[in-house]
Amino acid sequence: MLSEVEVPQPWDLTEFVRRLTGPLGKHVDLRPLSSELTPDQRVEAGITGLIVNLPRSLQIFYDDTTTPVHQFAVVMHELGHYCLGHTDTGKVQCRVDLQTTEESDAEDFGREMVLAVRGGGTLHRPPHSDDPEGVQSLGEALADID
C-alpha cells in the first residue's frame, strides 16, 4: 500500500492521507481535536485520537496541538484500526489505553508508517538556519558518540 504512495513535497498530512486511502473506497476526514474540545476537555478525556467508521467515510480526530510527527503517528494509528479490521461501521475507536491487543497493533501500524515515510527510523531534519553545519539526523549525531 505505502510503496505506491508518493509522499507530498512539501509535507502535507491531509494530502498524504488522501493519497494513501484513495484505494480504500472511503473518504477520510481529518478533524483536529482542538476544533471539537477545549484543552481542559482533551486533558480530562485523555484522548489523543479516535476514529469513527461511518458508512461512506472515516472520521479521524487527532491532537493537533502536538508536533507534526506526533500528529502523523496518531492519524496513522487511527487509520491502522481501519486497515487492521478493528472498526465496524458505527463503531468509535479511541486512542487512550495502549494495553489492548488492538491498540498495540494499531500503535505498531502507526509507528511503521512513520518510520517508512520518514526514512527507516532516522529522524531526518534539515540543518537549523542558525547552524547550517549542524546535525541533520539523530543517526548522524549518535554516530559521533564514542
Side-chain angles (χ1 to χ4, degrees):
M1 179 158 98
L2 183 60
S3 63
E4 300 169 8
V5 177
E6 184 178 334
V7 176
Q9 298 296 331
W11 172 251
D12 182 293
L13 177 60
T14 302
E15 177 60 18
F16 178 76
V17 169
R18 186 192 66 74
R19 292 176 185 185
L20 181 67
T21 59
L24 298 178
K26 279 196 174 190
H27 171 74
V28 178
D29 190 18
L30 298 182
R31 314 249 326 248
L33 281 171
S34 67
S35 66
E36 307 288 334
L37 302 171
T38 67
D40 289 341
Q41 289 171 323
R42 284 196 315 274
V43 169
E44 185 177 323
I47 296 172
T48 58
L50 64 93
I51 185 170
V52 181
N53 184 0
L54 299 172
R56 290 185 293 265
S57 69
L58 298 173
Q59 303 292 308
I60 297 177
F61 296 83
Y62 66 99
D63 183 357
D64 58 315
T65 65
T66 66
T67 66
V69 173
H70 187 245
Q71 291 174 37
F72 178 50
V74 170
V75 169
M76 291 298 102
H77 170 106
E78 298 306 331
L79 189 58
H81 282 299
Y82 180 76
C83 293
L84 297 169
H86 299 168
T87 61
D88 296 325
T89 301
K91 183 178 178 184
V92 175
Q93 192 86 25
C94 293
R95 184 178 197 255
V96 177
D97 178 11
L98 298 178
Q99 300 305 312
T100 68
T101 300
E102 284 187 354
E103 286 299 314
S104 180
D105 290 348
E107 191 67 10
D108 290 344
F109 179 94
R111 185 178 307 109
E112 291 300 317
M113 292 296 285
V114 170
L115 293 177
V117 170
R118 303 249 4 228
T122 301
L123 299 175
H124 293 282
R125 293 275 191 257
H128 190 277
S129 59
D130 291 341
D131 185 11
E133 302 300 318
V135 174
Q136 293 190 18
S137 72
L138 179 59
E140 181 183 323
L142 295 177
D144 291 337
I145 298 174
D146 292 325

